[in-house]
Amino acid sequence: MGIIIPIGVAVFLAFFIANILGYGGGPASIPLMYDQIVTRFGWLDNTEFSQMLALGNSLPGPIATKIAAYVGYDVYGWPGFLAALAGTIIPSAVALIYLLKILRKYKQSPIVKGMSLLVQPVIAIMMLLLTWNMAADAFGSIGYIHSIFIAGLAFLALGKFKIHPAFVIILAFAYGGFIIPLT
């Protein structure tokens, strides 16, 4: 028998946990938010999360706060919006103030340097797993050919031609809106 908590508290805790553990900023928090939003609470499904993430990435500003604002409002209206933003912003602000003081004091310590370096592979694996889940969802919804075509073009546009990600996302939206319905 689980503990029943009010929805506003659940929204706050979901984003608080994802952001307190999301070492490395917004992109590192996305897999943790995915776990809370999709897996644990079921507020969005895979497709909705992917669409929200794509749209959020095309807008200016930090991705973590955009995800929090959207999901919080979707789940519990304005109180959910405020709870999700508080859960996203408060941990970072408080941790930033205190941890920067500590890191400045011990910045030459091999332990601090080692901790920073060893977290990077964990973040990379978390992002890889998130990518895997989204790719599986894309393959299931639009098929392998369209998914691989869009991914290849996005890779070239971002990597080789250095096109801004917002334009790549807009082009993918246009492709999805005009080409995929014709097939």
Side-chain angles (χ1 to χ4, degrees):
M1 184 169 170
I3 298 172
I4 298 173
I5 55 175
I7 189 71
V9 174
V11 169
F12 174 83
L13 288 176
F15 287 97
F16 180 82
I17 290 167
N19 284 286
I20 200 76
L21 298 175
Y23 180 84
S29 299
I30 292 171
L32 298 169
M33 288 184 192
Y34 174 88
D35 181 63
Q36 294 290 316
I37 295 166
V38 176
T39 308
R40 182 161 186 224
F41 291 106
W43 291 327
L44 300 177
D45 62 23
N46 254 353
T47 303
E48 292 168 329
F49 187 86
S50 297
Q51 291 170 349
M52 181 255 325
L53 185 61
L55 184 59
N57 274 319
S58 68
L59 298 172
I63 188 66
T65 54
K66 291 181 279 188
I67 292 172
Y70 175 80
V71 173
Y73 184 80
D74 191 49
V75 169
Y76 195 52
W78 287 107
F81 169 86
L82 295 173
L85 282 179
T88 300
I89 295 167
I90 290 172
S92 301
V94 171
L96 180 68
I97 291 167
Y98 290 108
L99 290 176
L100 280 178
K101 288 182 180 184
I102 293 169
L103 287 175
R104 281 188 190 161
K105 185 175 180 179
Y106 298 106
K107 68 181 173 184
Q108 297 303 323
S109 166
I111 294 172
V112 171
K113 288 181 182 178
M115 287 170 33
S116 296
L117 290 173
L118 291 175
V119 169
Q120 292 173 356
V122 173
I123 294 169
I125 294 299
M126 288 172 29
M127 293 300 290
L128 182 63
L129 289 173
L130 178 65
T131 302
W132 182 264
N133 286 338
M134 289 187 172
D137 191 48
F139 291 154
S141 61
I142 63 172
Y144 287 96
I145 294 171
H146 289 295
S147 296
I148 292 170
F149 180 73
I150 292 170
L153 283 180
F155 182 76
L156 286 173
L158 295 168
K160 182 173 175 123
F161 300 112
K162 308 294 183 206
I163 297 174
H164 192 277
F167 295 122
V168 176
I169 291 170
I170 290 169
L171 290 172
F173 273 139
Y175 180 87
F178 295 112
I179 304 298
I180 292 179
L182 299 175
T183 59

